[in-house]
Amino acid sequence: QVQLVESGGGLVQAGGSLRLSCVASGLTFSWYVMAWFRQAPGKEREFVAAISWSGGNTSYADSVKGRFTISRDNAKNTVYLQMNSLKPEDTAVYYCAARVGDVLDWQRSSYDYWGQGTQVTVSS
């Protein structure tokens, strides 16, 4: 059974930083593109960042470029999202997702597995 478990969310002031983690089990982690999505209240779930199986290729939404960094440790079956210079508009539930292959897709429907999410709240 595949499980993706996120952690690291919380309440932070604008300008602060958080590091999210997602631990995967039940799959061959290095076969999967890993991604982060987020969903704010009343809004659609949106793409944040993705990383290839090797970590050599990454993709970011324009809204987070230069502030967020996605990385992975295949030995630990873990993907990270380092979030700096946080803004109130970054407030959302952040989800980890996995898709087999090596295409960095921004579309939700392309991902096979999802975590339960972790709440990030940025106060102004």
Side-chain angles (χ1 to χ4, degrees):
Q1 181 182 357
V2 175
Q3 281 194 310
L4 303 178
V5 180
E6 302 97 334
S7 62
L11 174 63
V12 64
Q13 288 189 330
S17 298
L18 281 175
R19 188 194 196 203
L20 305 184
S21 299
C22 170
V23 179
S25 60
L27 52 72
T28 305
F29 188 69
S30 59
W31 290 1
Y32 285 78
V33 164
M34 299 301 296
W36 289 94
F37 286 75
R38 67 186 182 186
Q39 187 166 17
K43 294 190 175 181
E44 299 265 325
R45 192 172 299 188
E46 64 175 6
F47 172 78
V48 175
I51 187 167
S52 63
W53 67 269
S54 68
N57 291 315
T58 56
S59 177
Y60 295 92
D62 288 343
S63 58
V64 307
K65 270 181 190 173
R67 300 188 299 123
F68 290 12
T69 302
I70 189 170
S71 62
R72 66 190 292 162
D73 184 339
N74 287 348
K76 295 182 178 180
N77 282 14
T78 302
V79 61
Y80 305 97
L81 186 68
Q82 177 67 44
M83 305 186 294
N84 298 329
S85 303
L86 282 160
K87 305 175 181 179
E89 50 263 44
D90 294 318
T91 295
V93 177
Y94 282 71
Y95 297 91
C96 174
R99 72 180 303 271
V100 70
D102 211 27
V103 174
L104 304 186
D105 203 321
W106 58 269
Q107 298 181 90
R108 293 194 314 261
S109 58
S110 297
Y111 287 82
D112 304 304
Y113 302 106
W114 294 84
Q116 293 299 305
T118 185
Q119 176 71 48
V120 171
T121 303
V122 184
S123 64
S124 56

